[in-house]
Amino acid sequence: DTAVSQTPKYLVTQMGNDKSIKCEQNLGHDTMYWYKQDSKKFLKIMFSYNNKELIINETVPNRFSPKSPDKAHLNLHINSLELGDSAVYFCASSAVYEQYFGPGTRLTVT
Amino acid sequence: DQQVKQNSPSLSVQEGRISILNCDYTNSMFDYFLWYKKYPAEGPTFLISISSIKDKNEDGRFTVFLNKSAKHLSLHIVPSQPGDSAVYFCAARIMKTSYDKVIFGPGTSLSVIP
């Protein structure tokens, strides 16, 4: 049973397009996150949600809009994609201290 | 401004010997420190953690040491095994009622040579 799943695993698209990445966790956790791992391999937090409410938005452009329809899901929608958005995006969830990560979505913007 | 630093991008160790991965941080507000292991094309996997009020935590072959005065922590793996070859991320967490942030270091790539 996959604890944190993301779809799609790979996403190739052109500049200017709008795309979504879906995330689901079956661990019953209250808190979910989106991270971006850039070309230099730094993992940076983008958003943190607790019980469907946004608690952290790390100066991410407005083109990125997370949506949490319920506690188990946190989707990421990106408008007007830019070349610099190319990265691996990880979803994660957390109960207390440690986080559980999804397998990542590699986004390539051409 | 990198609040969590891992100054060694890579480390090679012989199988059976000890691996020591180091991490330094700048913010004394961190409540919790964690180590994650990452294989290529997979998400990071939680390994071990330590509260800011402790100085040592051990779990099987893995031990994390925290020196608060030096703002330094280290992960010891003994004995090292080839399957331990991966990228190891140090992370620091601030947990408040309405604020929860985790900051990751840049990672250290560990190679365990058979």
Side-chain angles (χ1 to χ4, degrees):
Chain A
D1 255 356
T2 306
V4 182
S5 59
Q6 292 177 233
T7 53
K9 192 161 174 64
Y10 299 97
L11 187 51
V12 181
T13 188
Q14 291 185 326
M15 281 175 55
N17 283 349
D18 303 339
K19 289 293 177 188
S20 292
I21 307 172
K22 294 186 176 181
C23 176
E24 178 181 0
Q25 55 101 358
N26 61 7
L27 298 166
H29 292 163
D30 287 340
T31 309
M32 294 185 73
Y33 312 82
W34 276 107
Y35 284 85
K36 179 180 179 181
Q37 186 178 34
D38 60 25
S39 56
K40 293 182 180 175
K41 306 299 183 188
F42 282 94
L43 259 170
K44 290 186 179 173
I45 191 165
M46 299 173 69
F47 300 102
S48 173
Y49 267 72
N50 185 270
N51 275 318
K52 303 195 303 173
E53 286 193 25
L54 180 68
I55 56 173
I56 284 196
N57 177 340
E58 281 294 303
T59 58
V60 176
N62 290 341
R63 299 183 294 104
F64 290 80
S65 52
K67 292 281 191 303
S68 183
D70 54 58
K71 258 176 47 169
H73 296 85
L74 181 62
N75 303 323
L76 184 65
H77 189 76
I78 316 169
N79 289 330
S80 304
L81 278 155
E82 300 177 358
L83 291 176
D85 297 333
S86 295
V88 181
Y89 292 85
F90 289 99
C91 175
S93 72
S94 173
V96 184
Y97 300 118
E98 69 270 21
Q99 294 167 308
Y100 295 82
F101 284 81
T105 296
R106 181 174 291 278
L107 172 65
T108 304
V109 183
T110 61
Chain B
D1 175 30
Q2 239 181 295
Q3 294 189 56
V4 178
K5 302 175 188 179
Q6 293 176 257
N7 292 322
S8 298
S10 61
L11 176 68
S12 283
V13 170
Q14 207 72 31
E15 180 179 3
R17 307 292 273 263
I18 185 170
S19 295
I20 300 176
L21 296 102
N22 293 305
C23 178
D24 296 291
Y25 61 95
T26 57
N27 191 340
S28 55
M29 300 293 290
F30 290 129
D31 301 296
Y32 229 74
F33 301 92
L34 309 100
W35 284 95
Y36 289 84
K37 175 179 175 179
K38 186 182 181 304
Y39 293 119
E42 293 183 12
T45 302
F46 170 72
L47 204 52
I48 191 169
S49 63
I50 187 166
S51 164
S52 60
I53 61 173
K54 300 274 176 85
D55 55 21
K56 178 183 174 180
N57 187 26
E58 193 173 345
D59 184 2
R61 297 186 298 116
F62 304 92
T63 303
V64 57
F65 295 93
L66 175 62
N67 182 335
K68 278 191 77 172
S69 59
K71 293 192 174 73
H72 176 84
L73 62 154
S74 60
L75 173 68
H76 292 212
I77 306 173
V78 55
S80 301
Q81 299 173 354
D84 296 330
S85 297
V87 176
Y88 288 78
F89 289 99
C90 171
R93 188 167 182 177
I94 301 175
M95 293 173 67
K96 308 294 179 196
T97 308
S98 59
Y99 186 82
D100 177 10
K101 185 169 178 177
V102 182
I103 298 176
F104 281 77
T108 295
S109 179
L110 173 66
S111 296
V112 179
I113 304 158

